[in-house]
Amino acid sequence: MEAPLLQEHIEPNLFKRSLIESKKLWRIAGPAIFTSLCQYSLGAITQTFVGHVGTVELAAVSIEDSVIGGFAFGVMLGMGSALETLCGQAFGAGSIRMLGVYLQRSWIILLCSALVLLPIYIFSPPLLILFGQTREVADLAGKFALWMIPQLFAYALNFPIRKFLVAQRKVMVPAMVAGVVLVIHVVFSWLLIFKLGCGLLGAAVALDLSWWLIIFGQLSYIFVTKSDGAWSGFSWLAFKDLFAFVKLFLASAVMLCLEFWYLTILIILTGNLTNPVIAVDALSICMNLNGWVFMIAFGFNAAISVRVSNELGAGNPQTAKFAVMVVSATSISLGFVCMAVLLITRNDFPLLFTSSSVVAKEVTKLSSLLAFTMVLNGLQPVLSGVAVGAGWQALVAYINVGCYYVVGLPLGLLLGFKFDFGVEGIWSGMIGGIVLQTIILVVVTSCTNWNNEAAQAESRVMKWGGSAAGDIPSNGSQIAS
């Protein structure tokens, strides 16, 4: 008689805990999803406008955005994610003043990385031709890439700023800035592309301007409010321990870049198929829509990364573990909802992105693969967020190499070219790599000793100056902001 009573007592507590944790997650995830959607929509809306200019123009912008810009985006976002680990754990440990120093160190590293990436933008046409793109598309994409160089440096500043704010749970700041800029971007894009007839140049100007407006908006908040003590001015301490930071940043970059490049390779391989313009246009529309849905999961990625890093930094390993369970269930449920909506509207949604009936028909053919990818997007980014929050970037980088490039890519090549399944075969093979990676991350997360992770978080905060945060001198090492 006592066993049922005991079960009855536990279940309401579990439900209550889940509800409390869900509220904490949504306070971070909601604005983070909105921010991710708005920032992603800048490029997606640009592609949508350009798609009504011409098929070659859409292919050129898609190639630049997915291959050249996508490569840079992956590097910058990956390196910026290291700041999520450091700032999140330092914030959880109460070492608030070190967050500003971490932010400045990341700016130094990412701006130097942007300079290293410049040749890819400058010499993009021969690189794209080398990867099998037609000269017409490669030349136009290369011209667009030169106009998008300001965006590269905006990436270098934006991702650290956003991680800095999100780690403190100041998620409404980037959300409000992104929302305002998105409205401005739509107006400017319409005005420059259609009203003034500036075409691709107008698209580039609107996109560059929008990204820099995001930077100025977020920096204004940080410099004016001091971010509740997290920003105490520019400091020479930013140049301390740079080498140790670079190692963690490189591991983070490799982890996320391997994922972004995986999808970039999908676009490149598709460009080598018969009738590549139609194939690339159709796939770019699918990737565009997938990217929007992925941004929802990316909001959960940010939320779980913050929750895990904060709780590990505060020495609460079991709370971190429970947060992982709650956000995984929530995110994958939304993935199934997105899949259902897509399948119901599979004959209609392509017309929002293109005026070509041939391209629209090809997109409809790919909708089943797109729907399955959306379900995977419900869980895989969350597990990556757990990895970032716990500081497992190097481990996940090895997993990604094996799953994506040893299994998924060869399988995609085999199905796409050897067995003539075309873009469906390439995409199916690469989905196989994502499935394998997701399974391995589930196993790793399930077997994690969260007490050990909390101890490592404490060691990491101590190692990189967290214990001395309160001793940062107010003069000498500080430069007036």
Side-chain angles (χ1 to χ4, degrees), residues 221-479:
Y221 171 83
I222 293 172
F223 291 162
V224 171
T225 67
K226 307 300 181 185
S227 199
D228 296 333
W231 178 264
S232 53
F234 291 100
S235 170
W236 293 115
L237 288 174
F239 295 92
K240 183 181 178 182
D241 293 327
L242 272 179
F243 181 69
F245 261 58
V246 167
K247 289 193 295 184
L248 179 62
F249 274 56
L250 287 177
S252 299
V254 171
M255 177 191 126
L256 280 182
C257 282
L258 289 173
E259 297 183 13
F260 277 96
W261 295 343
Y262 196 51
L263 296 178
T264 298
I265 291 171
L266 179 60
I267 297 284
I268 293 174
L269 292 177
T270 303
N272 289 274
L273 296 172
T274 305
N275 198 359
V277 173
I278 298 299
V280 169
D281 281 358
L283 185 61
S284 67
I285 289 172
C286 289
M287 291 296 100
N288 195 343
L289 189 59
N290 180 64
W292 263 321
V293 175
F294 185 82
M295 288 303 108
I296 298 175
F298 201 69
F300 285 107
N301 171 288
I304 193 58
S305 178
V306 170
R307 291 290 298 130
V308 168
S309 61
N310 283 180
E311 295 299 342
L312 290 179
N316 300 320
Q318 295 307 312
T319 304
K321 179 180 179 180
F322 189 71
V324 172
M325 296 168 60
V326 172
V327 75
S328 297
T330 304
S331 185
I332 199 169
S333 297
L334 286 176
F336 277 107
V337 171
C338 292
M339 178 187 72
V341 172
L342 178 75
L343 292 177
I344 292 171
T345 62
R346 63 191 304 168
N347 294 316
D348 301 313
F349 78 83
L351 299 176
L352 296 174
F353 299 90
T354 181
S355 302
S356 170
S357 59
V358 178
V359 174
K361 184 178 179 180
E362 188 67 21
V363 173
T364 300
K365 285 172 58 180
L366 295 173
S367 60
S368 297
L369 287 173
L370 179 58
F372 185 69
T373 304
M374 287 181 177
V375 175
L376 289 178
N377 283 348
L379 184 58
Q380 188 272 340
V382 169
L383 296 175
S384 294
V386 174
V388 170
W392 303 339
Q393 287 94 330
L395 170 64
V396 178
Y398 288 118
I399 294 172
N400 288 353
V401 168
C403 296
Y404 291 165
Y405 299 94
V406 177
V407 177
L409 181 57
L411 183 59
L413 288 170
L414 189 65
L415 294 174
F417 293 95
K418 180 67 175 178
F419 293 101
D420 292 324
F421 286 110
V423 65
E424 291 97 333
I426 296 172
W427 197 347
S428 297
M430 300 184 89
I431 283 177
I434 298 175
V435 170
L436 180 60
Q437 181 231 29
T438 302
I439 292 171
I440 293 175
L441 288 180
V442 167
V443 173
V444 170
T445 305
S446 301
C447 298
T448 296
N449 185 321
W450 291 96
N451 291 319
N452 287 344
E453 295 300 325
Q456 290 180 28
E458 181 181 1
S459 175
R460 189 177 291 116
V461 172
M462 295 281 287
K463 177 182 177 182
W464 279 319
S467 61
D471 300 325
I472 296 176
S474 56
N475 298 306
S477 65
Q478 297 290 330
I479 305 171

